[in-house]
Amino acid sequence: TQSTWGLSSHSRMQRYVIEVPAGMKAGQVLAATTPSGETFNVIIPELLESNQIVVTRPEPQQPVLLEPLQMQPDIALPPPTRTYFNSSCWLWAGKFMAVLFVAEAIGVGLMLAWVGFAVIAAAVPGVVILEFLRRMYENYVIRLQMVISFFECVLWMLVLIPILIGLSSIPVYPFDSKDYSSGGCARCIGTYAFTSYFMAGTLEEITKFLAIRRITYLSAVHNPRALWVYGACAGAGFATVENVFYVLGNGIGAAIMRAVLAVPLHCCTGMMMGLSLSQMRFGSTASVTDNDRRRHQLLFSTPMVLLPCIFVHGTYDFMLFTGQGVGGAMNWLALVSVLVLVVTLAVIRSRMITLEKAFPPSPNDNVHYLLQTGALSKPFACCECAKCCY
């Protein structure tokens, strides 16, 4: 016998050579038996060249018995291979780390894109307001000082943030009530008032005041109008940083609402400080005596400059917090915040008109010409950009 493989199938084929007994003729049937004991019939062909017939049949499927491995004690097995040190393992690890790095890069990119959007959405309202004021009072303000006042208020915020965090974590926080669901309870109203008038109103307005008060008597502040604009710059700096956190936490809706309400409010309180400090320095008229100057310095001292701003800021926040916290029939209180902003704008504009009449425009008040002639000293900055930023 001989084993072969069939071309038409994948079964194993067996070739058998059968001896034909003498005397048998063509057409007769011959019974044949395989070595495995299988019996089959073969018809003797007519053309029989020899006394042998070759037959190919499928090999019978029989189970294969595997003998157990016989361990030979005189043969030592090789030590196991450390596959995690071969090239294929390092290649797989490299691919895995590359995919992980790309995924992290995409995630960081999306996060940075969202942070960048939040920064832009937070900064645009303040930048638009400041650019409007700069164009309106272009002859009286210096761009470098506007930038300094903006970021100086931001730096004062870095001092304020730990204070706010510390006050919020005090266990005996006044009127503290973590359950605001009851809305109109006295503890909740007390919490809203304390947060509005002290946490927000007083502490936040002090940061703006420190940035504006420092430049009140600088020689570059040559006209009362300059302090109005620099006050708005300090307010816009505070509002921009605060906006970033609100936009990151609440999305585009918060950016739109704060662009219409909160950013103008911060700029307004900054302008209120600038108006009061300009009256403290320049008086209410162009010709002012020493007695009038002392009277204005007393009238517009630090408490008198801060209190109106704290009242406006605190009232705005208190009405907003109470309307949102109490809800129901008290929702209208949130609209009072809009009324507070509108009234504040009207008061600021009235004071601006009064001082503009007292200090009419003059060609001699062009601060850029006075800086070029050396009559005024340029504002101090920690970078060499004074020549291109005013």
Side-chain angles (χ1 to χ4, degrees):
T1 64
Q2 183 179 359
S3 297
T4 61
W5 287 95
L7 299 178
S8 60
S9 65
H10 297 286
S11 61
R12 187 175 179 86
M13 306 298 290
Q14 190 74 25
R15 183 183 181 189
Y16 301 99
V17 179
I18 303 173
E19 295 286 342
V20 180
M24 294 196 70
K25 299 179 180 180
Q28 292 182 338
V29 178
L30 175 65
T33 304
T34 65
S36 61
E38 181 185 4
T39 301
F40 60 93
N41 296 326
V42 179
I43 300 176
I44 299 175
E46 294 182 359
L47 299 178
L48 185 63
E49 299 178 356
S50 64
N51 62 339
Q52 292 182 344
I53 301 175
V54 179
V55 179
T56 303
R57 290 175 57 83
E59 182 180 7
Q61 300 293 331
Q62 296 181 355
V64 179
L65 299 179
L66 300 179
E67 296 182 358
L69 179 64
Q70 300 294 330
M71 301 294 295
Q72 300 181 10
D74 56 340
I75 299 177
L77 295 177
T81 305
R82 298 180 181 270
T83 57
Y84 45 86
F85 277 134
N86 59 23
S87 58
S88 61
C89 181
W90 282 108
L91 181 61
W92 180 88
K95 292 179 179 179
F96 175 78
M97 294 302 296
V99 172
L100 182 62
F101 176 79
V102 172
E104 289 183 353
I106 293 174
V108 172
L110 293 176
M111 183 183 67
L112 292 178
W114 170 242
V115 173
F117 168 78
V119 172
I120 294 174
V124 165
V127 171
V128 170
I129 293 174
L130 296 185
E131 180 61 18
F132 171 78
L133 292 175
R134 188 193 69 82
R135 290 179 177 272
M136 189 174 181
Y137 299 104
E138 185 176 7
N139 293 332
Y140 309 102
V141 296
I142 307 170
R143 282 181 292 179
L144 176 59
Q145 185 57 57
M146 293 178 67
V147 174
I148 292 175
S149 298
F150 184 96
F151 285 103
E152 187 172 351
C153 185
V154 173
L155 292 177
W156 281 113
M157 286 187 69
L158 300 179
V159 180
L160 174 65
I161 290 175
I163 297 175
L164 293 177
I165 295 175
L167 289 174
S168 301
S169 61
I170 295 177
V172 292
Y173 184 68
F175 310 106
D176 188 21
S177 176
K178 299 301 182 183
D179 182 15
Y180 296 112
S181 59
S182 55
C185 65
R187 289 171 61 85
C188 297
I189 299 298
T191 301
Y192 299 147
F194 182 82
T195 303
S196 301
Y197 287 98
F198 180 73
M199 297 281 286
T202 302
L203 297 180
E204 292 182 7
E205 295 304 321
I206 287 176
T207 61
K208 304 173 193 175
F209 175 79
L210 294 174
I212 306 170
R213 180 64 178 81
R214 183 187 67 83
I215 63 173
T216 300
Y217 290 96
L218 289 181
S219 63
V221 181
H222 187 65
N223 189 280
R225 297 169 177 83
L227 281 174
W228 313 345
V229 180
Y230 297 149
C233 291
F238 188 97
T240 299
V241 177
E242 190 180 54
N243 259 8
V244 172
F245 295 103
Y246 275 97
V247 174
L248 286 175
N250 301 283
I252 188 64
I256 296 174
M257 290 298 297
R258 291 185 61 81
V260 178
L261 298 176
V263 177
L265 176 79
H266 283 292
C267 292
C268 283
T269 55
M271 291 187 71
M272 289 175 62
M273 293 182 192
L275 286 163
S276 299
L277 291 174
S278 66
Q279 288 184 272
M280 183 177 72
R281 174 177 174 179
F282 297 100
S284 298
T285 59
S287 58
V288 60
T289 63
D290 292 338
N291 291 332
D292 291 336
R293 192 179 303 277
R294 283 192 294 270
R295 181 172 60 85
H296 280 95
Q297 289 178 352
L298 179 62
L299 181 63
F300 297 103
S301 60
T302 298
M304 299 305 296
V305 171
L306 279 172
L307 285 177
C309 301
I310 293 173
F311 175 77
V312 170
H313 191 163
T315 303
Y316 172 88
D317 284 349
F318 178 71
M319 295 299 175
L320 189 63
F321 295 161
T322 305
Q324 293 177 346
V326 176
M330 303 299 288
N331 279 333
W332 62 271
L333 285 177
L335 298 177
V336 178
S337 299
V338 181
L339 181 62
V340 170
L341 178 60
V342 173
V343 172
T344 302
L345 286 170
V347 172
I348 290 174
R349 184 54 186 162
S350 175
R351 293 181 64 184
M352 291 171 63
I353 292 174
T354 300
L355 287 175
E356 284 178 345
K357 291 180 179 179
F359 295 87
S362 172
N364 298 326
D365 288 338
N366 191 311
V367 67
H368 305 288
Y369 174 76
L370 295 174
L371 287 172
Q372 291 176 357
T373 58
L376 299 177
S377 59
K378 297 175 182 179
F380 173 80
C382 58
C383 59
E384 298 296 332
C385 60
K387 294 182 179 180
C388 64
C389 293
Y390 72 89

